Amino acid sequence: MKNLLLALTLLTTNIVYAKSYVVELKPNFTKKDLKRIRTIKNVKSLDRFTNYKSSYFDRLYSLETLDAVNSLALIKKDPAIKLIENDFEAQYFEIRINKNSEMLTDDLLFPQQWALYNQEQIVEKRSLSGNKIIINGVRGVDINWNKKIQEVEQRLVKRPVVAVVDMGIDFDHPELKDSIFKNTKECDENLSVPTKKIDRDGNALPSDCHGWNFAATSREEQFYPFDDKGHGTHISGIISAKKNNTLGIGGVSDKIQILPIRVTGRVDETNEKNKLLMRSPSKRIANGILYAIKMNVDVINLSLGWPKSMDTKFMRNVITEAINKGIVVVAAAGNDNSSASIYPCNYYDVICVGSVNIDGNVSDFSNHGGQVDILAPGDQIISTIPTEFIPLKLNMQGYDIFSGTSQAAPFVSATAALHKGINPDISLDEIKKRLFSTTRPKLNSEKSLKGLLNFSDSFEDIKGPLVLPDFKELNQAQVVPETGIFQFPVYLKNYGETQDKLKIEISSLNSNIDILKYQNTLETPLEYGTPLSINVVARVKNFSSDHRFNFVVKLKDEKNGIQTFSHS
């Protein structure tokens, strides 16, 4: 059998921490088993991966070896071990601050927040060759925020919480200090970290008054997830910067609380000693997410990712755990201008967000393809940075302009959080229905499943069926060399009212591949929340020609007309 690629080549990464592993032990392992593994030659340590309690995570351990090749061969033979996986480094999507951005007003910074209200602002930047590029803003290319934000905030029954699993936050920033979530059981009378460190809420992290620093290089740093790079503070400002305070910007809503969870920062870039100390980046990300689950947050924002070549079972289980607990997980699509699969974006039920420019086109840096669920503004986004930083683009301390899908994801996270704030019991499928059925039209139909986030319309009363394909995890299929025949599933799911009639058309975008057979109508009505798997049979004509398989799914019904979705 041969593997047939259904998408472009996967990304590579710069660093793999080869001497750090994640070990899954078999059920009913004993302390004697642990002791035996620790005595294997060159095993430096074997410790619990996380203090999160479950039948799976109780069996997960972090393993460090001094001799990766020889000791790993011995470890794999141990009868108590079920699985060993590599640790990996994630990409934190922070890119391309445009040094030649032109600031067009002398007023405070809201007029430059085109993502909230596009007033035909102009973005000026330069290409890599030095040529000037001017992009004219287009009215309507924003999240349609102003129409509904006051009504939405008035309807809140609670202040929702978004966990920003990232690089920390500037606790003293005047735009953010009132939005930082306080775990009051773990705070002193001044809502600060107590002098005496005691685990008062039983989550195994003493005095976690306002988040946790999983990238700390000392015990005292654990209690303070301070941002030493600016990325986490920028993301947090997009979500929840204080508005109407005459200072600088406003976030989507300052009624949203931010739980800062630091999992990386300069510790991973500059200091070799600290890089050695912090050599388990995926463990930090996983524990950050598990901490967010313990804290019962409403949304987890992940402006980070890793390629399929570095995907692991334990990280999949971490994300699944969050989703099973009713938490909305939103992730950035990545900044490689590629359709390669990036995780966690490519996991089922994770909302994957790509970026658009001020003119509505998909940003030239944004990853794209059918696995990108929705788009949001991500180019030339103004937000908060730590007040002690020197801004690169603005002449105003505490603010700067960044570009990336990192900046697009928090607009969706904030919108999802406000839905949870209005209806704490709202399901993930209902949130998806509201987000996906109301998007603004796409200018680049092949680059995402749905179009630009429409904040205000997502809070309207939405009726009718909404059947969408799900291209997640659709990376490759096996082909029979003798015949060229291969099969793969296309999944559909109804996020709205019952769909009685639906016409389905699937066509190949590669002239070297023919589609031979698939189900083209519904055999029974498709109920709300119900998935449908359509088996597609196709054939490669010539293996010496291009056999990367991209295809189009067209769905036709009375309410939505013809909808076209591209897998690429």
Side-chain angles (χ1 to χ4, degrees):
M1 304 289 280
K2 292 185 177 180
N3 283 332
L4 178 70
L5 294 182
L6 295 182
L8 295 180
T9 308
L10 294 172
L11 302 180
T12 58
T13 188
N14 294 326
I15 302 174
V16 178
Y17 292 84
K19 294 187 180 181
S20 181
Y21 301 92
V22 178
V23 174
E24 180 186 352
L25 297 175
K26 293 178 181 177
N28 303 318
F29 73 93
T30 65
K31 292 182 179 179
K32 185 177 179 181
D33 294 324
L34 295 175
K35 184 177 181 180
R36 180 181 63 252
I37 296 170
R38 289 186 176 112
T39 60
I40 294 175
K41 186 178 180 181
N42 289 322
V43 169
K44 183 180 179 182
S45 65
L46 181 70
D47 300 306
R48 278 287 302 272
F49 180 85
T50 178
N51 54 35
Y52 188 90
K53 295 290 185 182
S54 82
S55 59
Y56 171 75
F57 291 109
D58 287 346
R59 296 186 288 111
L60 218 58
Y61 279 73
S62 292
L63 173 73
E64 296 179 357
T65 72
L66 298 177
D67 182 346
V69 177
N70 296 321
S71 57
L72 194 61
L74 294 173
I75 294 165
K76 287 180 177 179
K77 295 178 181 179
D78 192 278
I81 289 179
K82 181 177 180 180
L83 179 68
I84 298 179
E85 296 181 295
N86 285 315
D87 199 351
F88 62 82
E89 179 176 274
Q91 304 168 30
Y92 295 84
F93 301 137
E94 174 194 16
I95 64 149
R96 298 176 177 87
I97 297 173
N98 295 297
K99 296 180 179 180
N100 297 302
S101 296
E102 183 181 357
M103 307 312 300
L104 303 176
T105 77
D106 295 326
D107 201 354
L108 294 181
L109 303 176
F110 178 76
Q112 299 174 35
Q113 290 188 266
W114 70 266
L116 298 184
Y117 183 34
N118 193 323
Q119 304 175 73
E120 299 181 342
Q121 297 95 326
I122 297 173
V123 166
E124 179 179 322
K125 52 187 178 181
R126 295 195 180 270
S127 67
L128 294 177
S129 61
N131 296 322
K132 182 183 291 187
I133 299 172
I134 294 177
I135 305 176
N136 295 301
V138 176
R139 288 192 181 273
V141 178
D142 53 41
I143 69 168
N144 191 20
W145 171 82
N146 193 50
K147 176 182 172 184
K148 281 275 187 179
I149 183 59
Q150 289 187 352
E151 176 189 331
V152 167
E153 291 182 337
Q154 289 169 0
R155 291 169 58 191
L156 293 174
V157 298
K158 71 167 189 174
R159 290 189 69 187
V161 180
V162 175
V164 177
V165 180
D166 207 279
M167 300 187 184
I169 197 169
D170 178 1
F171 286 93
D172 298 321
H173 202 295
E175 300 272 30
L176 296 173
K177 61 183 181 181
D178 293 334
S179 293
I180 297 173
F181 174 80
K182 302 294 193 301
N183 182 14
T184 53
K185 289 183 180 179
E186 295 280 16
C187 302
D188 63 17
E189 62 275 10
N190 298 317
L191 295 180
S192 299
V193 176
T195 303
K196 190 173 183 180
K197 306 301 189 291
I198 301 173
D199 182 18
R200 297 167 178 82
D201 61 2
N203 69 0
L205 298 178
S207 299
D208 57 319
C209 173
H210 39 217
W212 197 257
N213 184 356
F214 289 94
T217 56
S218 69
R219 183 177 183 275
E220 191 60 28
E221 284 185 6
Q222 295 178 111
F223 314 109
Y224 303 98
F226 289 117
D227 186 358
D228 63 0
K229 282 208 66 184
H231 191 269
T233 301
H234 205 265
I235 302 307
S236 299
I238 292 170
I239 295 170
S240 191
K242 185 77 172 174
K243 64 177 183 288
N244 296 322
N245 62 356
T246 72
L247 290 180
I249 69 160
V252 173
S253 174
D254 54 21
K255 302 298 187 290
I256 299 172
Q257 299 180 87
I258 301 294
L259 177 63
I261 302 174
R262 184 171 182 243
V263 295
T264 186
R266 293 196 183 280
V267 67
D268 284 325
E269 296 183 353
T270 56
N271 186 305
E272 290 300 322
K273 178 181 178 182
N274 285 342
K275 284 177 70 173
L276 182 63
L277 176 67
M278 306 303 299
R279 59 187 170 276
S280 302
S282 60
K283 177 181 177 180
R284 284 179 266 144
I285 297 168
N287 273 286
I289 295 169
L290 292 171
Y291 173 63
I293 298 171
K294 288 182 183 180
M295 300 306 293
N296 196 30
V297 302
D298 297 292
V299 178
I300 296 174
N301 186 91
L302 297 170
S303 289
L304 51 84
W306 53 90
K308 181 175 175 59
S309 60
M310 302 183 69
D311 193 34
T312 57
K313 177 183 176 182
F314 72 82
M315 192 60 78
R316 286 173 175 265
N317 284 339
V318 168
I319 298 294
T320 299
E321 184 77 8
I323 291 168
N324 288 344
K325 295 292 186 181
I327 298 171
V328 181
V329 180
V330 178
N335 302 320
D336 301 297
N337 186 23
S338 168
S339 62
S341 298
I342 287 290
Y343 294 83
C345 251
N346 204 35
Y347 290 147
Y348 292 117
D349 288 327
V350 170
I351 298 176
C352 180
V353 187
S355 169
V356 298
N357 296 335
I358 197 169
D359 62 356
N361 285 295
V362 172
S363 304
D364 56 6
F365 53 77
S366 179
N367 284 3
H368 47 81
Q371 74 275 14
V372 177
D373 295 304
I374 194 169
L375 303 170
D379 185 55
Q380 303 294 303
I381 302 301
I382 188 169
S383 186
T384 47
I385 61 170
T387 53
E388 65 180 30
F389 283 23
I390 298 174
L392 299 180
K393 307 308 313 200
L394 296 176
N395 190 26
M396 190 171 181
Q397 206 77 6
Y399 306 89
D400 213 340
I401 296 173
F402 291 173
S403 297
T405 56
S406 279
Q407 281 58 49
F411 288 108
V412 177
S413 292
T415 306
L418 291 171
H419 280 289
K420 297 274 279 187
I422 290 173
N423 179 7
D425 296 323
I426 191 172
S427 68
L428 175 60
D429 281 351
E430 178 68 18
I431 288 176
K432 284 186 171 184
K433 178 185 80 171
R434 291 184 166 277
L435 295 178
F436 297 165
S437 66
T438 58
T439 56
R440 295 185 165 186
K442 298 180 286 185
L443 294 184
N444 314 99
S445 61
E446 76 283 1
K447 291 196 172 184
S448 62
L449 190 71
K450 299 296 289 183
L452 177 61
L453 171 69
N454 190 328
F455 174 88
S456 292
D457 284 10
S458 75
F459 291 93
E460 300 283 2
D461 187 23
I462 300 168
K463 297 186 180 299
L466 178 67
V467 178
L468 298 174
D470 190 341
F471 297 134
K472 303 291 182 79
E473 305 277 18
L474 194 53
N475 302 317
Q476 63 182 28
Q478 288 188 322
V479 61
V480 179
E482 293 80 10
T483 63
I485 299 293
F486 66 97
Q487 301 182 47
F488 64 95
V490 171
Y491 294 101
L492 302 180
K493 188 171 184 179
N494 185 8
Y495 296 96
E497 298 172 0
T498 300
Q499 179 79 66
D500 294 312
K501 296 181 180 180
L502 183 70
K503 290 186 178 180
I504 305 161
E505 179 182 325
I506 303 175
S507 56
S508 173
L509 293 174
N510 186 337
S511 60
N512 188 42
I513 296 177
D514 290 334
I515 293 180
L516 306 178
K517 182 181 179 182
Y518 63 90
Q519 175 187 333
N520 60 11
T521 59
L522 293 180
E523 296 176 352
T524 59
L526 195 59
E527 304 287 341
Y528 167 76
T530 303
L532 172 66
S533 177
I534 296 177
N535 187 57
V536 180
V537 180
R539 179 174 62 90
V540 179
K541 299 177 185 177
N542 185 353
F543 281 110
S544 63
S545 299
D546 180 15
H547 52 273
R548 292 172 298 178
F549 186 37
N550 298 324
F551 59 91
V552 169
V553 175
K554 290 185 178 180
L555 304 177
K556 182 179 181 181
D557 65 9
E558 292 181 0
K559 175 182 180 288
N560 300 297
I562 298 176
Q563 298 185 88
T564 302
F565 307 96
S566 297
H567 170 276
S568 60

